[in-house]
Amino acid sequence: MNLLEVRGLEVAFENEEGDDLVVVDRVDLSLKAGKTLGLVGESGCGKSVSALSLLRLLPKPTGKILNGSILWKGNDLLTVSSDDIRSIRGNEIGMIFQEPMNALNPAHTIGRQVDEVYITHQGLDSGQARVHTLKMLEKVGIPEPGIRANEYPHQLSGGMRQRIVIAIALACEPDLIIADEPTTALDVTIQAQVLQLMSELQEQSGASLLLITHDLGVVAQTCDEVAVMYAGRIVERAPMRRLFEFPQHAYTRGLLASIPSLTGPIQTELPVIPGIVPALADLNSGCRFAPRSSYAHEQEWLDVRAPLVEVEDNHWVEDCPACRRLNSDALS
Amino acid sequence: MDKLLKISQLKVHFPVKGGIWMRPVATCKAVDGVSLEISKGETLGLVGESGCGKSTLARTVVGLNEPTTGEILLDGQKLGDYSGNFGKGNRKRVQMVFQDPAESLNSRHTVGQILEEPLVVHKKGDQGERASRVKELLNLVGLPLGSVTRYPFEFSGGQRQRIGIARALALNPEVLVLDEPVSALDLSIRSQVINLLLKLKNRLGLTCLFISHDLSVVRHLSDRIAVMYLGKVVEIASAEELINNPLHAYTRSLIGAIPQANPNVHGKFSVLSGEVPSPINPPPGCPFGYRVGSRFYTESIGQSLDLKEFSPGHFVQDCPCCVI
Ligand SMILES: Nc1ncnc2c1ncn2[C@@H]1O[C@H](COP(=O)(O)OP(=O)(O)OP(=O)(O)O)[C@@H](O)[C@H]1O
Ligand SMILES: Nc1ncnc2c1ncn2[C@@H]1O[C@H](COP(=O)(O)OP(=O)(O)OP(=O)(O)O)[C@@H](O)[C@H]1O
Ligand code: SF4
Ligand SMILES: [Mg+2]
Ligand SMILES: [Mg+2]
């Protein structure tokens, strides 16, 4: 059984006129225990909103989950009581946000912020909590935890702060960690440290990881499976290697081809995906990538959404015959 | 080849203020003795971690910061005396493109006004000539001519960066300084702008200083690459040589840390430990050896750590703990 199984998740924001703008459109995701799932896509495609929905943390009152189910160990998180969801947030699912400064309270020492997790979620007194806190700080690689625990967030570097956020997320020993762009604000060298730390800790604890990123390099180096999101939808899902070796969707192939690398030719034109990501207000109901694809589309594909089909074991892609034809052209 | 831009022994130090009177209590050595030369038509890439002084260097080259010591020469001429009228004649020959297109464009002006402004300031042409130059610029960066009457917020991030590039090109500069021009852009848009920069560079014969923290992007656009660490250049070589044969331990760590979008290629070097020391209170010896706790660190104390030509065109710091 999957630890997490998201089915048909549909999320909207109400605009000033009172209309619902759908930003996450019938998304399916699944994650097995101990595995890492990468959710990739460009800015605004709905990654963070999907993650917030899993924990029912959408901004109120504008953010709404219209449809779908989020099965966590078999229970639908969308129907459990608010007490239950709070306890799951604290004890079973940990969250790491993109900007560590927003996740930390600038007025409290970092020691106190980690203590709080042990006090509220495990019922320890402050003395016991501090013992655990110091161990946890050491685990996430904070030098001299005894001294650092008494410092405030602004006294730490970005990399150190992100380690504190990770410590807080891990303190409750979660079964799942949702990390929303945990390293995007960091230097590559510090990113490598943080990614290595996360994978070590994940190995020790057996937790699953939902890793949101727009960096396909990070995906290739850390994930077991990948879901590619475009304009509110998952257009392709696959075991990580297969996504890189055998990408199916025109968008996935376009993205993979357009990244400059350390080994490819230099000072030559990169393949590009023409056009821009469509604005929320002008989304068509059919394939949302079609307006940017080089293929001459029949109206049908712009109007009708193709379901995902399994093209090989555990590899799903929007079932558009046109896209497949493009594929076979490219392969022949 | 002619050296068009010459930066020699440049230091840019900022006072750090503190205490209740906000008096200078220390010095932040953001750029601390950098010498670089860029030939006509060449693109020099500049990489390094956050805070190493890349933007400070860039801003000094275009006259937004004053050098503490050292000088910047364009075609052998000083780039200005920094006394208010920063090298009037020379200034327009060097232009800058900023990281965040949204912040660097005046949101209350139309694209037409934004592109015309530098022409007005430098009294170029009459109204008709300026209008046709604006059209030319839009064409050059691939924006529709109808953009003239629209405002920056009506454009996507990639299009706004095109506007920023067009504005920098308005006065036909010889040198373009680009500070992280594609970092804020979406994945599928980034490659479009990279291609545009390549095209402009070739078509206009531009000389560029291209700054980015993304070595893959820098490699793609640059002829040579300089690696900066804590205010100093530690290594400089042709793009291919630097990537394939890095000599400085820092360059190697930087390359090894880049996650490659290929599951069969892993970082070649172990994860770097430690963090960048502060430019306010740097260690006495080699700051990188200090950071990683090199066992030869003490040998670097008191050394000048100047750049040395290791093989033709490949310069690296003469450091006993980082180049072994
Ligand atoms: N509070 C909100 N009110 C209205 N619209 C919102 C709100 N938060 C997000 N949106 C919209 O929902 C869409 C999805 O946003 P989301 O933050 O999930 O994107 P993302 O994929 O995480 O992007 P990024 O990579 O930039 O973080 C966007 O178009 C965004 O404008
Ligand atoms: N105007 C200023 N006054 C005081 N200190 C400054 C000023 N500008 C920059 N600094 C300091 O100089 C150092 C170098 O900063 P700089 O912005 O040049 O780094 P950078 O390499 O561009 O980093 P990033 O990759 O984060 O943009 C930093 O320690 C910064 O805090
Ligand atoms: S070929 Fe099909 S799936 Fe591919 S972009 Fe066009 S409509 Fe979309
Ligand atoms: Mg997001
Ligand atoms: Mg900068």
Side-chain angles (χ1 to χ4, degrees), chain B residues 159-174:
Chain B
Q159 289 173 322
R160 280 198 290 254
Q161 195 54 292
R162 287 171 194 265
I163 301 170
I165 293 169
R167 182 184 56 182
L169 293 175
L171 295 167
N172 273 319
E174 291 149 74

Side-chain angles (χ1 to χ4, degrees), chain A residues 157 189 193 241 264 268 273, chain B residues 49 192 219-220 264 272 275:
Chain A
S157 68
T189 51
Q193 291 174 6
R241 277 183 173 277
T268 53
I273 302 175
Chain B
E49 285 168 288
Q192 295 175 3
R219 169 182 176 270
H220 195 82
N264 298 317
L272 184 58
E275 302 205 13

Side-chain angles (χ1 to χ4, degrees), chain A residues 33-112:
Chain A
K35 297 286 181 202
T36 298
L37 170 67
L39 182 58
V40 284
E42 295 180 77
S43 186
C45 72
K47 306 182 295 294
S48 297
V49 169
S50 304
L52 291 172
S53 307
L54 301 186
L55 292 171
R56 289 187 13 207
L57 287 172
L58 286 175
K60 281 176 191 157
T62 51
K64 306 180 217 176
I65 296 179
L66 302 180
N67 275 303
S69 58
I70 298 171
L71 297 178
W72 170 250
K73 300 178 182 171
N75 296 321
D76 189 350
L77 293 183
L78 295 182
T79 57
V80 301
S81 72
S82 3
D83 280 345
D84 287 345
I85 189 84
R86 217 169 297 135
S87 140
I88 289 172
R89 260 183 235 147
N91 296 312
E92 300 179 26
I93 304 180
M95 179 114 193
I96 300 170
F97 296 92
Q98 173 165 355
E99 184 35 70
M101 224 29 199
N102 297 341
L104 296 172
N105 184 334
H108 292 171
T109 63
I110 56 166
R112 172 159 171 205

Side-chain angles (χ1 to χ4, degrees), chain A residues 42-43 157 160 187 189 191 193 214 217 220-221 241 244 258 261-262 264 266-268 270 272-273 275 292, chain B residues 49-50 186-188 191-192 195 198 201 216 219-220 222-223 259-266 272-275:
Chain A
E42 295 180 77
S43 186
S157 68
M160 286 286 171
D187 275 318
T189 51
Q191 164 171 280
Q193 291 174 6
H214 60 261
Q221 302 300 328
R241 277 183 173 277
F244 284 91
S258 71
S261 79
L262 281 182
I266 60 170
Q267 302 204 18
T268 53
L270 292 165
V272 298
I273 302 175
R292 294 179 74 181
Chain B
E49 285 168 288
S50 182
D186 255 349
L187 230 48
S188 69
S191 45
Q192 295 175 3
N195 284 355
L198 267 174
K201 181 188 140 182
S216 313
R219 169 182 176 270
H220 195 82
S222 307
D223 301 297
Q260 298 218 50
N262 177 348
N264 298 317
V265 180
H266 293 279
L272 184 58
S273 62
E275 302 205 13

